[in-house]
Amino acid sequence: MSVLALGQAFGRVPQRWTADSIALSPVVHDQKRVNVAHAHEAAFVTLMLDGDYAEKAALRSFRFERFSAMFHPAGIEHQDFIGASGVRLLMFEFTSELIEDMRNRSLRDLSGSRAAWDLLALYRDAPHIEQLEFESRALELIGCIAPLARTTPRDLPSLQRAREYLHARFRDRLMIKDIARAAGVHPVYLGQVFRRQFGETIGAYVNRLRIRAAADQLSSTDAPLADVAFEYGFCDQSHFQRVFKRLSGRTPTEFRKNSEALRSVALL
């Protein structure tokens, strides 16, 4: 099995920003391919900017969408599957000594979390900030990511069924009893164990899924905010704007305007 050192990647790396034990790199694949199974010496987060990409790791398969983000502990074997349209990924790597506790070795879905948006902002700003500011912000980001990774235990079958249900139906008006029925557990038990296992309520988890999908639409269409809010299950535009800003740090309008800046960075 190939093991890649900090900063190494399959694919084209147009630019890389580094600090001590940290690397931030866009990784581009221009055509369809399957990378050999491999691991990385460093822990890392993969965030998909656009394209067609899937990953197999820890006996699980993941289909990435735009702005999906996944934390990988150091040394985990995985394999990349790039579709016909190619893919643009953002990789944020950091060595194990920067994390206080690496006893938990599981993957962590960061899609829609504040850590994912902060990583996207760091990528946008990296060409324009000083080295010290880059390192300071990168270390703050690691401090945000590491507790999420440490607190995630193994998936129980009931929780996995609940997660699959949420990913399939997050646009709908969801009720705990329906999610519990799909998971095969009592609603009260599901609410308690979900937060214990994932560190957030089911409602907060669903909001992350909705905001990630809404961000995709905002960055690629001119759809009115009210339509986007309705499509992704928010009760009204005001609620959508409040949740979007709380999770991403920006209003939907600001995020849409900044998407052009993100595209210009990607062309470096």
Side-chain angles (χ1 to χ4, degrees), residues 55-146:
E55 180 183 35
K56 184 176 181 180
L59 303 179
R60 296 162 62 188
S61 295
F62 307 90
R63 169 65 59 180
F64 281 64
E65 299 174 87
R66 185 179 292 175
F67 307 127
S68 291
M70 185 72 66
F71 168 82
H72 305 70
I76 189 169
E77 183 177 357
H78 65 108
Q79 190 170 19
D80 311 312
F81 300 85
I82 297 95
S85 62
V87 70
R88 290 191 302 121
L89 303 170
L90 183 62
M91 285 193 63
F92 179 56
E93 305 170 80
F94 43 95
T95 54
S96 298
E97 61 265 24
L98 296 176
I99 304 176
E100 295 178 0
D101 183 359
M102 284 296 291
R103 288 175 295 180
N104 191 296
R105 306 292 298 177
S106 55
L107 296 162
R108 175 73 187 213
D109 184 357
L110 300 178
S111 302
S113 70
R114 186 58 182 267
W117 302 125
D118 286 350
L119 176 56
L120 201 62
L122 182 60
Y123 172 51
R124 182 198 63 228
D125 297 341
H128 314 293
I129 59 178
E130 298 291 332
Q131 173 73 14
L132 181 61
E133 184 179 355
F134 170 79
E135 184 173 9
S136 298
R137 287 176 57 176
L139 289 171
E140 289 179 356
L141 183 55
I142 293 168
C144 182
I145 292 168

Side-chain angles (χ1 to χ4, degrees), residues 227-245:
D227 291 352
V228 176
F230 178 78
E231 181 173 353
Y232 293 105
F234 291 95
C235 58
D236 55 43
Q237 182 176 331
S238 177
H239 180 222
F240 169 56
Q241 290 177 310
R242 288 197 304 272
V243 175
F244 195 101
K245 185 171 184 179

Side-chain angles (χ1 to χ4, degrees), residues 2-259:
S2 300
V3 179
L4 303 183
L6 179 75
Q8 289 185 320
F10 294 113
R12 178 166 56 90
V13 180
Q15 194 161 356
R16 177 177 291 115
W17 297 273
T18 61
D20 185 32
S21 303
I22 300 168
L24 176 65
S25 312
V27 178
V28 180
H29 291 274
D30 296 313
Q31 58 188 3
K32 183 176 182 178
R33 67 170 292 168
V34 178
N35 290 331
V36 298
H38 62 284
H40 294 253
E41 290 182 354
F44 67 98
V45 175
T46 299
L47 187 151
M48 194 183 87
L49 298 171
D50 58 53
D52 185 356
Y53 180 70
E55 180 183 35
K56 184 176 181 180
L59 303 179
R60 296 162 62 188
S61 295
F62 307 90
R63 169 65 59 180
F64 281 64
E65 299 174 87
R66 185 179 292 175
F67 307 127
S68 291
M70 185 72 66
F71 168 82
H72 305 70
I76 189 169
E77 183 177 357
H78 65 108
Q79 190 170 19
D80 311 312
F81 300 85
I82 297 95
S85 62
V87 70
R88 290 191 302 121
L89 303 170
L90 183 62
M91 285 193 63
F92 179 56
E93 305 170 80
F94 43 95
T95 54
S96 298
E97 61 265 24
L98 296 176
I99 304 176
E100 295 178 0
D101 183 359
M102 284 296 291
R103 288 175 295 180
N104 191 296
R105 306 292 298 177
S106 55
L107 296 162
R108 175 73 187 213
D109 184 357
L110 300 178
S111 302
S113 70
R114 186 58 182 267
W117 302 125
D118 286 350
L119 176 56
L120 201 62
L122 182 60
Y123 172 51
R124 182 198 63 228
D125 297 341
H128 314 293
I129 59 178
E130 298 291 332
Q131 173 73 14
L132 181 61
E133 184 179 355
F134 170 79
E135 184 173 9
S136 298
R137 287 176 57 176
L139 289 171
E140 289 179 356
L141 183 55
I142 293 168
C144 182
I145 292 168
L148 294 173
R150 289 199 309 269
T151 57
T152 307
R154 63 185 179 89
D155 278 333
L156 301 175
S158 59
L159 288 177
Q160 183 64 23
R161 289 192 294 270
R163 289 179 71 250
E164 290 171 355
Y165 184 91
L166 296 177
H167 278 261
R169 302 183 179 228
F170 65 86
R171 293 175 176 83
D172 301 339
R173 182 179 293 275
L174 296 172
M175 300 182 69
I176 296 294
K177 66 178 182 180
D178 295 330
I179 303 167
R181 186 180 299 116
V185 296
H186 191 278
V188 174
Y189 170 81
L190 177 63
Q192 292 175 339
V193 76
F194 193 98
R195 181 159 192 164
R196 188 181 310 139
Q197 300 288 66
F198 295 112
E200 60 187 340
T201 65
I202 291 173
Y205 189 91
V206 170
N207 274 340
R208 291 200 293 113
L209 297 179
R210 289 172 171 170
I211 292 302
R212 185 216 60 78
D216 185 355
Q217 184 164 349
L218 288 171
S219 68
S220 57
T221 75
D222 295 323
L225 296 185
D227 291 352
V228 176
F230 178 78
E231 181 173 353
Y232 293 105
F234 291 95
C235 58
D236 55 43
Q237 182 176 331
S238 177
H239 180 222
F240 169 56
Q241 290 177 310
R242 288 197 304 272
V243 175
F244 195 101
K245 185 171 184 179
R246 176 168 55 82
L247 290 179
S248 73
R250 290 175 172 78
T251 67
T253 300
E254 290 168 341
F255 184 88
R256 175 172 270 167
K257 290 179 180 178
N258 285 338
S259 64

